[in-house]
Amino acid sequence: MPLPTAILSIQAAEKSHGKTRALRGLSLDLFPGELLGLLGPNGAGKTSLIRCLAGRSRLDKGAFTFATGTDAPHSLGVVPQSIAVYQDLTAQQNLVAFGKLHAVDRHQLGERVDQALQWANLTDRRHHLVRTFSGGMQRRLNIACSVLHHPAILLLDEPTVGVDPQSRSRIYEMIDELRDRGTAILLTTHQLDEAQYRCDRIAIVDLGKVVCVGTLDELIASTVGHCQLLRIRFQHVVDATRYGLSMDDSGTTGTCVISDPATQLAEILTSLDRDQHRVGQVLLQQPTLEDVFLHLTGKELRE
Ligand SMILES: Nc1ncnc2c1ncn2[C@@H]1O[C@H](COP(=O)(O)OP(=O)(O)OP(=O)(O)O)[C@@H](O)[C@H]1O
């Protein structure tokens, strides 16, 4: 099947801050209606990329190409890493101000503001000053302000930092709703579990370049492979090395990597049963995005 045309194509982007080369030839495509996660260790260049895309900073080299009919900046919504709403205005006043900034038709503005308040779960706080809002409420308002003009592309730089689990989940519902409406979303996050379960594709960036991009399955297949980690906890101390297990120091837990669980697991358990070893617990662990990330960058993600 031919790939759809990218709505945004980033070609060999380069950007330096003084002597620091933040982007070193970064290339990436964003497709309509997808949620693309951008992951990378601290300093990998994610925010530098978002700032250049948002027009807040200029590339030294390389280019951004927007699909025909997608005229940046009107087709772009941007939610920066730090909250960017007016603290001394109410939620409604913020939305009106951002709507005007994004040139929303004044006949449509009232209705869009009402919809945005409802969407962000802030209708009953519409006349409250933003400085009285929790971090999660401010984040939701920030996102609502950034999409009032219905952009085709949304750039979200770590939208769930410092947000409690309830607000986090509402923010992801909002993101899902935007994606279902066809918005293409580029999301930077340090939350590997969120990226693993929420994103359609994931791009891993290190040292200013994309080192791997694809679905989680594709990333796993091209890095750590689809083997699984088998962990067997025994009810007694045993040396199970002859069954292919590496034993831990306590002598009660053995692990091994298996590529064909359906066959290998049955074989190991049958042999253990035959030799009267009592098994307490069996765990099969799939490779995770964290395994892929560590494999590619050798670094842990920190919020
Ligand atoms: N304004 C600036 N002046 C000097 N150096 C900068 C500036 N902005 C970014 N850098 C440097 O550029 C590199 C890339 O930073 P950037 O913020 O883009 O990375 P990041 O992947 O977003 O990191 P984080 O995950 O910590 O937000 C880092 O080494 C950073 O210190």
Side-chain angles (χ1 to χ4, degrees):
M1 207 168 62
L3 276 176
T5 309
I7 193 163
L8 164 65
S9 192
I10 303 162
Q11 294 134 6
E14 292 191 23
K15 174 76 191 171
S16 291
H17 304 286
K19 287 190 177 153
T20 308
R21 292 179 66 204
L23 301 177
R24 307 181 190 195
L26 186 148
S27 296
L28 188 64
D29 285 336
L30 177 69
F31 295 103
E34 79 164 340
L35 175 55
L36 174 60
L38 195 63
L39 304 183
N42 290 126
K46 305 175 297 290
T47 299
S48 299
L49 176 68
I50 298 275
R51 286 181 57 80
C52 289
L53 280 167
R56 302 208 170 124
S57 178
R58 288 172 77 101
L59 285 184
D60 301 330
K61 273 193 188 164
F64 303 133
T65 310
F66 292 88
T68 322
T70 317
D71 64 326
H74 291 301
S75 293
L76 213 56
V78 184
V79 183
Q81 205 172 93
S82 41
I83 288 173
V85 284
Y86 300 105
Q87 297 290 317
D88 290 323
L89 296 184
T90 65
Q92 177 164 317
Q93 287 166 337
N94 264 283
L95 285 160
V96 170
F98 277 91
K100 288 181 178 164
L101 200 70
H102 290 309
V104 174
D105 185 304
R106 69 188 169 87
H107 299 295
Q108 290 181 5
L109 187 55
E111 194 185 334
R112 294 258 181 112
V113 167
D114 287 347
Q115 285 169 352
L117 285 164
Q118 208 173 3
W119 182 61
N121 235 0
L122 291 170
T123 303
D124 55 350
R125 301 293 295 262
R126 67 192 303 155
H127 297 305
H128 292 217
L129 292 180
V130 168
R131 67 177 141 83
T132 66
F133 286 10
S134 69
M137 290 161 75
Q138 295 198 21
R139 285 266 170 211
R140 300 202 307 270
L141 178 64
N142 207 164
I143 298 173
C145 287
S146 309
V147 297
L148 268 179
H149 56 308
H150 294 175
I153 299 167
L154 178 64
L155 310 176
L156 281 165
D157 198 358
E158 297 190 43
T160 55
V161 167
V163 163
D164 68 26
Q166 285 80 6
S167 264
R168 197 170 273 227
S169 137
R170 181 59 205 146
I171 286 171
Y172 273 105
E173 280 169 20
M174 290 168 72
I175 293 173
D176 286 347
E177 285 165 29
L178 285 173
R179 178 179 49 177
D180 292 347
R181 277 192 244 149
T183 313
I185 303 167
L186 183 63
L187 164 97
T188 79
T189 179
H190 280 194
Q191 307 293 329
L192 288 168
D193 51 339
E194 288 180 3
Q196 169 157 351
Y197 295 112
R198 305 274 186 175
C199 294
D200 301 310
R201 290 192 310 141
I202 295 154
I204 296 183
V205 179
D206 198 16
L207 301 173
K209 272 189 176 175
V210 172
V211 289
C212 204
V213 60
T215 61
L216 178 64
D217 267 1
E218 289 166 351
L219 294 187
I220 288 172
S222 66
T223 55
V224 289
H226 272 289
C227 289
Q228 299 189 28
L229 181 70
L230 170 65
R231 186 184 303 274
I232 297 182
R233 211 160 279 154
F234 294 91
Q235 294 179 18
H236 51 86
V237 174
V238 55
D239 178 7
T241 45
R242 69 191 180 95
Y243 307 98
L245 298 171
S246 307
M247 300 308 297
D248 72 354
D249 289 344
S250 74
T252 58
T253 300
T255 52
C256 69
V257 174
I258 56 178
S259 54
D260 178 11
T263 313
Q264 289 172 280
L265 180 57
E267 278 171 10
I268 294 172
L269 290 179
T270 306
S271 307
L272 290 170
D273 187 52
R274 183 197 57 218
D275 298 341
Q276 298 184 345
H277 295 303
R278 291 206 307 279
V279 170
Q281 196 182 30
V282 176
L283 283 171
L284 256 186
Q285 200 183 325
Q286 310 267 3
T288 62
L289 183 55
E290 185 168 1
D291 298 324
V292 172
F293 189 86
L294 292 174
H295 178 92
L296 287 169
T297 69
K299 298 169 205 153
E300 284 181 31
L301 268 180
R302 287 171 302 275
E303 191 165 344

mmCIF file of all heavy atoms in Angstrom, residues 260-289:
data_model
loop_
_atom_site.group_PDB
_atom_site.id
_atom_site.type_symbol
_atom_site.label_atom_id
_atom_site.label_comp_id
_atom_site.label_asym_id
_atom_site.label_seq_id
_atom_site.Cartn_x
_atom_site.Cartn_y
_atom_site.Cartn_z
ATOM 1 N N ASP A 260 10.098 -18.606 21.237
ATOM 2 C CA ASP A 260 8.870 -19.301 20.833
ATOM 3 C C ASP A 260 8.142 -19.779 22.100
ATOM 4 O O ASP A 260 8.213 -20.957 22.462
ATOM 5 C CB ASP A 260 9.264 -20.502 19.949
ATOM 6 C CG ASP A 260 8.052 -21.322 19.518
ATOM 7 O OD1 ASP A 260 6.909 -20.842 19.723
ATOM 8 O OD2 ASP A 260 8.252 -22.437 19.013
ATOM 9 N N PRO A 261 7.473 -18.841 22.787
ATOM 10 C CA PRO A 261 6.888 -19.173 24.090
ATOM 11 C C PRO A 261 5.947 -20.362 24.040
ATOM 12 O O PRO A 261 5.966 -21.204 24.947
ATOM 13 C CB PRO A 261 6.116 -17.902 24.483
ATOM 14 C CG PRO A 261 6.593 -16.831 23.587
ATOM 15 C CD PRO A 261 7.196 -17.458 22.380
ATOM 16 N N ALA A 262 5.129 -20.468 22.983
ATOM 17 C CA ALA A 262 4.118 -21.533 22.928
ATOM 18 C C ALA A 262 4.782 -22.898 23.114
ATOM 19 O O ALA A 262 4.273 -23.751 23.838
ATOM 20 C CB ALA A 262 3.371 -21.474 21.609
ATOM 21 N N THR A 263 5.915 -23.135 22.473
ATOM 22 C CA THR A 263 6.590 -24.426 22.568
ATOM 23 C C THR A 263 7.535 -24.476 23.765
ATOM 24 O O THR A 263 7.470 -25.409 24.581
ATOM 25 C CB THR A 263 7.422 -24.662 21.275
ATOM 26 O OG1 THR A 263 6.603 -24.347 20.176
ATOM 27 C CG2 THR A 263 7.929 -26.079 21.186
ATOM 28 N N GLN A 264 8.411 -23.472 23.874
ATOM 29 C CA GLN A 264 9.472 -23.541 24.880
ATOM 30 C C GLN A 264 8.938 -23.516 26.307
ATOM 31 O O GLN A 264 9.435 -24.233 27.170
ATOM 32 C CB GLN A 264 10.457 -22.385 24.664
ATOM 33 C CG GLN A 264 11.308 -22.573 23.411
ATOM 34 C CD GLN A 264 12.121 -21.333 23.136
ATOM 35 O OE1 GLN A 264 11.617 -20.356 22.580
ATOM 36 N NE2 GLN A 264 13.381 -21.350 23.540
ATOM 37 N N LEU A 265 7.911 -22.689 26.544
ATOM 38 C CA LEU A 265 7.370 -22.592 27.902
ATOM 39 C C LEU A 265 6.805 -23.946 28.340
ATOM 40 O O LEU A 265 7.062 -24.440 29.446
ATOM 41 C CB LEU A 265 6.299 -21.494 27.957
ATOM 42 C CG LEU A 265 5.651 -21.265 29.308
ATOM 43 C CD1 LEU A 265 6.692 -20.928 30.359
ATOM 44 C CD2 LEU A 265 4.629 -20.135 29.240
ATOM 45 N N ALA A 266 6.042 -24.574 27.428
ATOM 46 C CA ALA A 266 5.442 -25.879 27.751
ATOM 47 C C ALA A 266 6.533 -26.901 28.045
ATOM 48 O O ALA A 266 6.429 -27.685 29.008
ATOM 49 C CB ALA A 266 4.567 -26.331 26.575
ATOM 50 N N GLU A 267 7.598 -26.886 27.233
ATOM 51 C CA GLU A 267 8.691 -27.864 27.424
ATOM 52 C C GLU A 267 9.344 -27.693 28.796
ATOM 53 O O GLU A 267 9.557 -28.663 29.531
ATOM 54 C CB GLU A 267 9.757 -27.666 26.343
ATOM 55 C CG GLU A 267 9.402 -28.337 25.023
ATOM 56 C CD GLU A 267 10.366 -27.937 23.912
ATOM 57 O OE1 GLU A 267 11.411 -27.309 24.196
ATOM 58 O OE2 GLU A 267 10.049 -28.257 22.763
ATOM 59 N N ILE A 268 9.654 -26.429 29.153
ATOM 60 C CA ILE A 268 10.344 -26.174 30.423
ATOM 61 C C ILE A 268 9.451 -26.578 31.596
ATOM 62 O O ILE A 268 9.886 -27.264 32.524
ATOM 63 C CB ILE A 268 10.763 -24.682 30.520
ATOM 64 C CG1 ILE A 268 11.818 -24.366 29.457
ATOM 65 C CG2 ILE A 268 11.294 -24.344 31.917
ATOM 66 C CD1 ILE A 268 12.181 -22.905 29.326
ATOM 67 N N LEU A 269 8.170 -26.176 31.533
ATOM 68 C CA LEU A 269 7.265 -26.481 32.657
ATOM 69 C C LEU A 269 7.053 -28.008 32.790
ATOM 70 O O LEU A 269 6.997 -28.531 33.904
ATOM 71 C CB LEU A 269 5.925 -25.762 32.478
ATOM 72 C CG LEU A 269 5.978 -24.238 32.656
ATOM 73 C CD1 LEU A 269 4.616 -23.609 32.427
ATOM 74 C CD2 LEU A 269 6.515 -23.853 34.040
ATOM 75 N N THR A 270 6.960 -28.708 31.650
ATOM 76 C CA THR A 270 6.785 -30.167 31.708
ATOM 77 C C THR A 270 7.991 -30.816 32.363
ATOM 78 O O THR A 270 7.860 -31.703 33.227
ATOM 79 C CB THR A 270 6.586 -30.731 30.273
ATOM 80 O OG1 THR A 270 5.521 -30.011 29.681
ATOM 81 C CG2 THR A 270 6.266 -32.212 30.270
ATOM 82 N N SER A 271 9.214 -30.371 31.965
ATOM 83 C CA SER A 271 10.436 -30.951 32.542
ATOM 84 C C SER A 271 10.501 -30.680 34.038
ATOM 85 O O SER A 271 10.858 -31.566 34.830
ATOM 86 C CB SER A 271 11.683 -30.351 31.887
ATOM 87 O OG SER A 271 11.595 -30.478 30.511
ATOM 88 N N LEU A 272 10.151 -29.471 34.448
ATOM 89 C CA LEU A 272 10.203 -29.113 35.877
ATOM 90 C C LEU A 272 9.216 -29.968 36.665
ATOM 91 O O LEU A 272 9.527 -30.479 37.749
ATOM 92 C CB LEU A 272 9.884 -27.624 36.075
ATOM 93 C CG LEU A 272 10.952 -26.641 35.564
ATOM 94 C CD1 LEU A 272 10.429 -25.211 35.595
ATOM 95 C CD2 LEU A 272 12.226 -26.740 36.418
ATOM 96 N N ASP A 273 8.034 -30.162 36.089
ATOM 97 C CA ASP A 273 6.995 -30.946 36.752
ATOM 98 C C ASP A 273 7.441 -32.413 36.883
ATOM 99 O O ASP A 273 7.296 -33.033 37.949
ATOM 100 C CB ASP A 273 5.701 -30.821 35.927
ATOM 101 C CG ASP A 273 4.550 -31.465 36.649
ATOM 102 O OD1 ASP A 273 4.351 -31.127 37.830
ATOM 103 O OD2 ASP A 273 3.862 -32.325 36.045
ATOM 104 N N ARG A 274 8.033 -32.908 35.797
ATOM 105 C CA ARG A 274 8.508 -34.304 35.782
ATOM 106 C C ARG A 274 9.531 -34.516 36.902
ATOM 107 O O ARG A 274 9.526 -35.536 37.585
ATOM 108 C CB ARG A 274 9.140 -34.591 34.412
ATOM 109 C CG ARG A 274 9.608 -36.012 34.200
ATOM 110 C CD ARG A 274 10.558 -36.082 33.019
ATOM 111 N NE ARG A 274 11.689 -35.195 33.213
ATOM 112 C CZ ARG A 274 12.278 -34.471 32.256
ATOM 113 N NH1 ARG A 274 11.827 -34.534 31.019
ATOM 114 N NH2 ARG A 274 13.296 -33.686 32.529
ATOM 115 N N ASP A 275 10.384 -33.502 37.111
ATOM 116 C CA ASP A 275 11.433 -33.653 38.126
ATOM 117 C C ASP A 275 10.978 -33.152 39.500
ATOM 118 O O ASP A 275 11.809 -32.937 40.398
ATOM 119 C CB ASP A 275 12.706 -32.911 37.672
ATOM 120 C CG ASP A 275 13.253 -33.507 36.387
ATOM 121 O OD1 ASP A 275 12.890 -34.670 36.078
ATOM 122 O OD2 ASP A 275 13.994 -32.822 35.680
ATOM 123 N N GLN A 276 9.682 -32.915 39.628
ATOM 124 C CA GLN A 276 9.044 -32.563 40.904
ATOM 125 C C GLN A 276 9.557 -31.269 41.535
ATOM 126 O O GLN A 276 9.720 -31.159 42.746
ATOM 127 C CB GLN A 276 9.169 -33.728 41.888
ATOM 128 C CG GLN A 276 8.446 -34.939 41.345
ATOM 129 C CD GLN A 276 8.451 -36.100 42.308
ATOM 130 O OE1 GLN A 276 9.210 -36.134 43.273
ATOM 131 N NE2 GLN A 276 7.597 -37.068 42.055
ATOM 132 N N HIS A 277 9.851 -30.272 40.665
ATOM 133 C CA HIS A 277 10.182 -28.935 41.174
ATOM 134 C C HIS A 277 8.876 -28.140 41.254
ATOM 135 O O HIS A 277 8.131 -28.090 40.260
ATOM 136 C CB HIS A 277 11.164 -28.225 40.242
ATOM 137 C CG HIS A 277 12.488 -28.907 40.181
ATOM 138 N ND1 HIS A 277 13.258 -29.137 41.294
ATOM 139 C CD2 HIS A 277 13.171 -29.442 39.130
ATOM 140 C CE1 HIS A 277 14.367 -29.755 40.934
ATOM 141 N NE2 HIS A 277 14.337 -29.974 39.628
ATOM 142 N N ARG A 278 8.627 -27.544 42.405
ATOM 143 C CA ARG A 278 7.337 -26.858 42.571
ATOM 144 C C ARG A 278 7.459 -25.391 42.138
ATOM 145 O O ARG A 278 8.237 -24.618 42.723
ATOM 146 C CB ARG A 278 6.860 -26.969 44.021
ATOM 147 C CG ARG A 278 6.468 -28.418 44.363
ATOM 148 C CD ARG A 278 5.447 -28.488 45.478
ATOM 149 N NE ARG A 278 5.868 -27.751 46.663
ATOM 150 C CZ ARG A 278 6.711 -28.244 47.575
ATOM 151 N NH1 ARG A 278 7.224 -29.444 47.434
ATOM 152 N NH2 ARG A 278 7.030 -27.520 48.633
ATOM 153 N N VAL A 279 6.684 -25.038 41.109
ATOM 154 C CA VAL A 279 6.721 -23.678 40.550
ATOM 155 C C VAL A 279 5.678 -22.822 41.254
ATOM 156 O O VAL A 279 4.513 -23.220 41.380
ATOM 157 C CB VAL A 279 6.430 -23.727 39.027
ATOM 158 C CG1 VAL A 279 6.214 -22.340 38.463
ATOM 159 C CG2 VAL A 279 7.569 -24.437 38.304
ATOM 160 N N GLY A 280 6.106 -21.611 41.737
ATOM 161 C CA GLY A 280 5.155 -20.719 42.395
ATOM 162 C C GLY A 280 4.528 -19.735 41.424
ATOM 163 O O GLY A 280 3.333 -19.474 41.457
ATOM 164 N N GLN A 281 5.345 -19.204 40.522
ATOM 165 C CA GLN A 281 4.836 -18.143 39.641
ATOM 166 C C GLN A 281 5.601 -18.164 38.311
ATOM 167 O O GLN A 281 6.814 -18.411 38.290
ATOM 168 C CB GLN A 281 5.075 -16.791 40.334
ATOM 169 C CG GLN A 281 4.277 -15.651 39.740
ATOM 170 C CD GLN A 281 4.608 -14.334 40.433
ATOM 171 O OE1 GLN A 281 5.721 -14.128 40.920
ATOM 172 N NE2 GLN A 281 3.647 -13.440 40.479
ATOM 173 N N VAL A 282 4.875 -17.910 37.222
ATOM 174 C CA VAL A 282 5.521 -17.839 35.902
ATOM 175 C C VAL A 282 5.190 -16.481 35.285
ATOM 176 O O VAL A 282 4.022 -16.091 35.232
ATOM 177 C CB VAL A 282 4.981 -18.957 34.970
ATOM 178 C CG1 VAL A 282 5.588 -18.822 33.581
ATOM 179 C CG2 VAL A 282 5.268 -20.319 35.556
ATOM 180 N N LEU A 283 6.222 -15.767 34.858
ATOM 181 C CA LEU A 283 5.992 -14.457 34.240
ATOM 182 C C LEU A 283 6.646 -14.426 32.868
ATOM 183 O O LEU A 283 7.808 -14.823 32.721
ATOM 184 C CB LEU A 283 6.637 -13.342 35.081
ATOM 185 C CG LEU A 283 5.925 -12.903 36.348
ATOM 186 C CD1 LEU A 283 6.825 -11.960 37.129
ATOM 187 C CD2 LEU A 283 4.627 -12.206 35.993
ATOM 188 N N LEU A 284 5.883 -13.935 31.867
ATOM 189 C CA LEU A 284 6.457 -13.753 30.527
ATOM 190 C C LEU A 284 6.431 -12.264 30.244
ATOM 191 O O LEU A 284 5.374 -11.632 30.294
ATOM 192 C CB LEU A 284 5.582 -14.449 29.496
ATOM 193 C CG LEU A 284 6.064 -15.759 28.921
ATOM 194 C CD1 LEU A 284 5.130 -16.206 27.818
ATOM 195 C CD2 LEU A 284 7.498 -15.698 28.412
ATOM 196 N N GLN A 285 7.586 -11.690 29.964
ATOM 197 C CA GLN A 285 7.627 -10.238 29.784
ATOM 198 C C GLN A 285 7.989 -9.891 28.343
ATOM 199 O O GLN A 285 9.007 -10.329 27.816
ATOM 200 C CB GLN A 285 8.678 -9.669 30.738
ATOM 201 C CG GLN A 285 8.512 -8.208 31.003
ATOM 202 C CD GLN A 285 9.645 -7.732 31.910
ATOM 203 O OE1 GLN A 285 10.103 -8.457 32.797
ATOM 204 N NE2 GLN A 285 10.114 -6.526 31.650
ATOM 205 N N GLN A 286 7.101 -9.076 27.697
ATOM 206 C CA GLN A 286 7.364 -8.617 26.332
ATOM 207 C C GLN A 286 8.414 -7.518 26.377
ATOM 208 O O GLN A 286 8.467 -6.779 27.344
ATOM 209 C CB GLN A 286 6.096 -7.966 25.751
ATOM 210 C CG GLN A 286 4.846 -8.767 25.874
ATOM 211 C CD GLN A 286 4.625 -9.599 24.636
ATOM 212 O OE1 GLN A 286 5.460 -9.573 23.741
ATOM 213 N NE2 GLN A 286 3.544 -10.323 24.598
ATOM 214 N N PRO A 287 9.192 -7.348 25.308
ATOM 215 C CA PRO A 287 10.080 -6.191 25.264
ATOM 216 C C PRO A 287 9.238 -4.907 25.300
ATOM 217 O O PRO A 287 8.127 -4.878 24.774
ATOM 218 C CB PRO A 287 10.789 -6.311 23.913
ATOM 219 C CG PRO A 287 10.538 -7.691 23.445
ATOM 220 C CD PRO A 287 9.280 -8.162 24.094
ATOM 221 N N THR A 288 9.743 -3.896 25.950
ATOM 222 C CA THR A 288 8.996 -2.636 26.072
ATOM 223 C C THR A 288 9.712 -1.535 25.305
ATOM 224 O O THR A 288 10.853 -1.710 24.866
ATOM 225 C CB THR A 288 8.905 -2.209 27.548
ATOM 226 O OG1 THR A 288 10.254 -1.996 28.003
ATOM 227 C CG2 THR A 288 8.214 -3.254 28.396
ATOM 228 N N LEU A 289 9.044 -0.401 25.238
ATOM 229 C CA LEU A 289 9.672 0.762 24.600
ATOM 230 C C LEU A 289 10.938 1.155 25.360
ATOM 231 O O LEU A 289 11.906 1.617 24.781
ATOM 232 C CB LEU A 289 8.663 1.923 24.570
ATOM 233 C CG LEU A 289 9.122 3.187 23.874
ATOM 234 C CD1 LEU A 289 9.583 2.927 22.449
ATOM 235 C CD2 LEU A 289 8.010 4.227 23.875
#
